Amino acid sequence: MAATYNLKLQILSTPSRSSLAIAKKENQQNLCRALWDWDCCHSCLNNTDSCVGLICPGGRIRGLHRYFEHYQELVSSYSHDLEYRRDAAIRSHEDIFRIIQLLRKQPNISRRRLAEEVFGHGQASTEENADREHAIGLAVKLLTMVYSTHWLKQNAEHDNGDLESATWLDDIAFDAFVESRFPTTDHPGFGEDSSSSFWEFKSKITGTKLVKRGGLIFEPTEDLSNHLKLNRATGVVEMFHHTAFLKESLRITKGSGGPMSIKESLGLGAIPRQLALEVLDSMQKIIFPLSDPSAVALLQNLVSNKGFDRDCLRFESSVIREPHETNTQYIYFGARLADICDELENPTPRGFISRWAKREGAGHANIAAIVAVVLALLFGLITLGLGGFQAWVSWQQWKHPINN
């Protein structure tokens, strides 16, 4: 298995000669057009550096740099298959954009029906069906930032060892699949922003406190449904970091006049507004509040060393929020925030001594007792050593007296 894994890494590190392996600025603009109906100005379409349109969205291309990098990682891993196959499901960026547009046009389409509309009704082999699943998975991931096939998850840049992402089944509607990835819960602490415990919980779980007191580690995730997922065994908290992507959804749905269904949001090329607000605010207002210099420094470190989107450091309000959207109610991620808070108050033992003490049932008291015994033993050995050394020196002086 190790040899197979190493061979896979060697193949993926080899530059692909497929047309998918190269993404030009034109491909980025066309992707934004397929996703969000971008209508760029003449200068942007001609790939010049000066954007002359006052309302042209082309100026936000640079802000989406990390999202485009992820797009390139996905299509590059898929394009390696094209080196050995002539019947691949997709052979160009435009093929992916066409699937995205079909998903937006028919958000309640089943996966089987989508495959028939894209690839035809002909009989397909097992290998062809798997290839088509991968192609559809690419489009789903770009539109929703959710994995719908294990193949994409296994080739992800960041998967944190989690390969349990759900697969979009043949007879399930697209909007129903997306909805299943984000169940809602009403947690008493984080479910209501007006509750008395909300501000207390919020102040407890800033990033610096979670790192210094809880020993937790933040890792980026490319799967929106894994945001704030805590692995108690390893102490890893996954953070969805593509905030520029989230802001595009908020721009599209701003001024919608009220709550929208998942089907309506997907038709606009957006994820649900409430979902985008929760992810953005849990990062910029709770875990890494931009008013806290130490939290900002921690986030800057994650951007530099862990590949987080640099846009995480940009706080925007008026262009993406409604006037009443100042405090966010957490119906999607309230339970996960509460889990993180509980981990800080009742940390999971991860070291050998901590696990032993926990297993014995006395927790921190046993840890303190063990440390005290070890220190006493250490000091005892040091004292014994010093006493022995003094005795040896005295014996040497008696045996070999120095004559004046």
Side-chain angles (χ1 to χ4, degrees):
M1 181 176 293
T4 303
Y5 179 72
N6 291 332
L7 178 61
K8 175 184 173 183
L9 289 180
Q10 183 178 359
I11 292 174
L12 290 177
S13 62
T14 304
S16 173
R17 292 169 292 179
S18 165
S19 61
L20 274 174
I22 302 174
K24 302 177 182 178
K25 189 172 182 179
E26 178 184 357
N27 300 130
Q28 297 175 356
Q29 293 173 353
N30 290 336
L31 172 60
C32 293
R33 184 179 297 111
L35 288 170
W36 307 307
D37 297 327
W38 274 22
D39 185 14
C40 296
C41 66
H42 181 74
S43 297
C44 290
L45 294 175
N46 289 323
N47 296 323
T48 60
D49 293 332
S50 58
C51 179
V52 299
L54 295 177
I55 58 174
C56 174
R60 300 199 296 273
I61 285 281
R62 291 183 180 179
L64 288 159
H65 173 73
R66 190 65 187 86
Y67 173 76
F68 292 135
E69 280 188 343
H70 180 55
Y71 167 66
Q72 188 58 38
E73 291 157 5
L74 291 174
V75 296
S76 294
S77 61
Y78 177 85
S79 68
H80 279 84
D81 293 342
L82 305 185
E83 303 291 333
Y84 313 102
R85 293 188 55 192
R86 295 184 178 180
D87 59 343
I90 53 176
R91 304 195 66 87
S92 68
H93 298 276
E94 285 67 28
D95 292 338
I96 302 175
F97 304 157
R98 187 162 65 95
I99 301 176
I100 292 174
Q101 290 171 332
L102 280 172
L103 287 170
R104 287 187 54 193
K105 186 177 180 181
Q106 303 179 60
N108 59 346
I109 193 172
S110 68
R111 203 189 71 82
R112 177 182 285 111
R113 179 61 180 166
L114 177 65
E116 291 174 349
E117 290 201 20
V118 175
F119 307 113
H121 296 265
Q123 194 72 16
S125 65
T126 302
E127 185 180 29
E128 288 174 333
N129 280 328
D131 186 27
R132 293 174 180 181
E133 178 184 347
H134 303 163
I136 291 174
L138 278 173
V140 171
K141 182 63 169 63
L142 294 168
L143 178 58
T144 64
M145 292 303 281
V146 171
Y147 290 108
S148 62
T149 169
H150 294 303
W151 178 85
L152 280 181
K153 187 70 173 178
Q154 291 168 350
N155 285 279
E157 180 189 15
H158 307 290
D159 60 23
N160 301 312
D162 177 17
L163 300 179
E164 299 180 356
S165 57
T167 299
W168 182 15
L169 302 178
D170 284 342
D171 296 322
I172 302 299
F174 176 49
D175 57 338
F177 165 74
V178 175
E179 185 173 13
S180 70
R181 302 302 298 140
F182 300 100
T184 59
T185 56
D186 186 13
H187 190 274
F190 288 95
E192 293 290 343
D193 57 11
S194 59
S195 65
S196 58
S197 59
F198 175 79
W199 298 106
E200 179 184 356
F201 281 141
K202 180 180 176 181
S203 63
K204 283 183 178 180
I205 56 174
T206 59
T208 48
K209 292 180 181 178
L210 294 176
V211 171
K212 293 179 180 179
R213 299 180 188 177
L216 300 181
I217 302 170
F218 296 105
E219 294 288 347
T221 178
E222 314 295 347
D223 191 335
L224 185 62
S225 64
N226 283 344
H227 181 62
L228 294 179
K229 182 180 286 187
L230 168 65
N231 186 325
R232 291 182 181 270
T234 61
V236 169
V237 179
E238 298 185 54
M239 301 288 293
F240 181 78
H241 60 102
H242 291 279
T243 55
F245 170 85
L246 298 174
K247 291 173 183 177
E248 289 302 320
S249 280
L250 293 173
R251 284 186 175 91
I252 293 171
T253 55
K254 183 182 179 183
S256 57
M260 301 176 65
S261 65
I262 290 183
K263 178 181 177 181
E264 292 172 326
S265 298
L266 292 173
L268 294 176
I271 61 173
R273 185 170 185 83
Q274 174 67 27
L275 179 62
L277 284 171
E278 287 191 35
V279 178
L280 189 63
D281 285 359
S282 62
M283 173 177 284
Q284 294 188 333
K285 292 186 177 182
I286 295 183
I287 306 296
F288 307 109
L290 300 185
S291 58
D292 182 351
S294 61
V296 173
L298 176 59
L299 184 56
Q300 287 174 331
N301 181 267
L302 294 173
V303 169
S304 301
N305 301 319
K306 292 293 185 72
F308 276 54
D309 189 350
R310 185 164 295 277
D311 184 80
C312 295
L313 296 166
R314 295 182 60 218
F315 187 88
E316 297 178 86
S317 181
S318 60
V319 294
I320 60 175
R321 296 179 186 273
E322 303 286 2
H324 64 276
E325 293 173 338
T326 54
N327 296 321
T328 301
Q329 178 183 356
Y330 293 88
I331 63 174
Y332 289 106
F333 298 106
R336 291 185 181 178
L337 286 169
D339 284 343
I340 294 172
C341 186
D342 179 69
E343 176 64 20
L344 187 61
E345 295 177 345
N346 305 286
T348 301
R350 299 186 183 92
F352 172 77
I353 294 178
S354 297
R355 289 198 300 270
W356 182 88
K358 185 71 173 180
R359 189 164 57 247
E360 291 297 315
H364 294 295
N366 269 354
I367 295 177
I370 292 171
V371 172
V373 170
V374 171
L375 290 176
L377 179 61
L378 180 62
F379 286 127
L381 290 174
I382 293 174
T383 303
L384 181 62
L386 289 174
F389 177 74
Q390 289 174 342
W392 180 82
V393 170
S394 300
W395 182 77
Q396 289 293 328
Q397 288 177 342
W398 173 80
K399 189 175 181 181
H400 306 287
I402 299 174
N403 296 322
N404 293 329

